[in-house]
Amino acid sequence: MLVGIFNSEDEVAQAAAKKIIDVFDFQPESVLGVATGSTPLPLYRLLREAYQKGTFSLKEGQAFALDEYVGLPVDHKQSYRYFLVNELVGDDKTGLLDENLRTPDGNAPDLADAAIYYDDAVAAAGVDIQILGIGSDGHIGFNEPSCSFASRTHVGALTAQTRQDNARFFASIDEVPTQSITQGLGTIMEAGAILLLATGKNKAKAVKQMVEGPVSARWPATILQHHPQVFVLVDKDAASELELTDYYRQNWDSYHRHI
Ligand code: F6R
């Protein structure tokens, strides 16, 4: 893991945007794995600005969402498809075509079938670079504690902690769905490169576990220690429980001097 520690969430977003722009510069038909939630919002703003300036485009690319709530209508403002269309799709955003944004179907009559169908589509496309956030309970995608490291796209229950964390997007916690359909940890681990973004104090414990803790299903993000190309991009608050910050800074500088 390469850990980049930045002064602000804007700097985190700039570092992430640079890596994504480099990938699409090299290969405009690349496949981007996209997260939802608050953390990537400054990044998506930068990608839209880059598209408007002509320095980046998803027009020839594809994007695959990590997850979707079960049971929310697609036109519900908190559905992840609605969120991603709003952030990325169209000529006024990043040029991404609606048909090239793929999201799991959280309203399918047979959710297990929909999960297999989605997993096959992700695997066939092959994600080149995956954006991840992290839950305060250590989830990535919606792979909650105890999830198998080998899991594929599946339906799972959200923890009480996750529903509490996400209640801020809904009128009340009772409206937060109880289940999601999410890429599995095994699916996510097949991405070519991973950018994990974390900002704010409430992510500090999960970041500490992910980077310095033992690999354990108690903290699902720890599986990323086994991925060869992970960039952990954090602000000072999210990095505040890390022990080896001097080394991480040194290693980050060393890596970026040599590429
Ligand atoms: C979202 C997702 C989740 C979020 C995580 C952090 O697609 O898969 O893992 O990245 O819950 O959410 P925020 O960024 O809102 O703190």
Side-chain angles (χ1 to χ4, degrees), residues 35-40 66-67 80 133-135 139-141 168-169 203:
T36 57
S38 307
T39 310
L66 280 167
D67 41 23
Y80 284 170
I134 185 169
H139 70 227
I140 51 175
R168 68 190 191 282
F169 299 115
K203 301 294 173 69

Side-chain angles (χ1 to χ4, degrees), residues 79-219:
S79 95
Y80 284 170
R81 183 160 191 98
Y82 186 97
F83 172 101
L84 289 165
V85 167
N86 209 40
E87 291 293 314
L88 300 174
V89 169
D91 254 345
D92 56 336
K93 305 281 167 51
T94 65
L96 180 66
L97 302 176
D98 190 72
E99 64 264 33
N100 288 339
L101 169 66
R102 306 288 298 272
T103 53
D105 183 357
N107 292 298
D110 185 332
L111 290 167
D113 257 12
I116 294 169
Y117 176 79
Y118 192 71
D119 203 77
D120 287 347
V122 175
V127 173
D128 295 296
I129 184 159
Q130 174 68 55
I131 302 162
L132 293 178
I134 185 169
S136 64
D137 66 357
H139 70 227
I140 51 175
F142 273 136
N143 295 281
E144 299 285 28
S146 80
C147 184
S148 160
F149 285 157
S151 56
R152 309 300 307 182
T153 303
H154 62 279
V155 177
L158 302 176
T159 61
Q161 180 68 59
T162 296
R163 293 186 67 238
Q164 180 65 54
D165 288 347
N166 288 3
R168 68 190 191 282
F169 299 115
F170 293 83
S172 84
I173 191 162
D174 300 329
E175 289 185 19
V176 183
T178 56
Q179 284 185 305
S180 77
I181 179 165
T182 179
Q183 286 188 35
L185 293 171
T187 320
I188 293 170
M189 287 290 281
E190 286 170 3
I194 292 182
L195 303 176
L196 185 135
L197 281 60
T199 52
K201 259 254 160 0
N202 73 325
K203 301 294 173 69
K205 186 170 182 198
V207 167
K208 157 83 181 158
Q209 292 295 331
M210 171 180 64
V211 178
E212 296 176 340
V215 175
S216 156
R218 172 65 186 83
W219 295 93

Side-chain angles (χ1 to χ4, degrees), residues 20-31 57 60-61 128:
I20 293 166
I21 290 169
D22 283 352
V23 168
F24 280 81
D25 204 24
F26 183 69
Q27 181 75 269
E29 314 85 55
S30 292
V31 179
S57 173
E60 295 170 57
D128 295 296

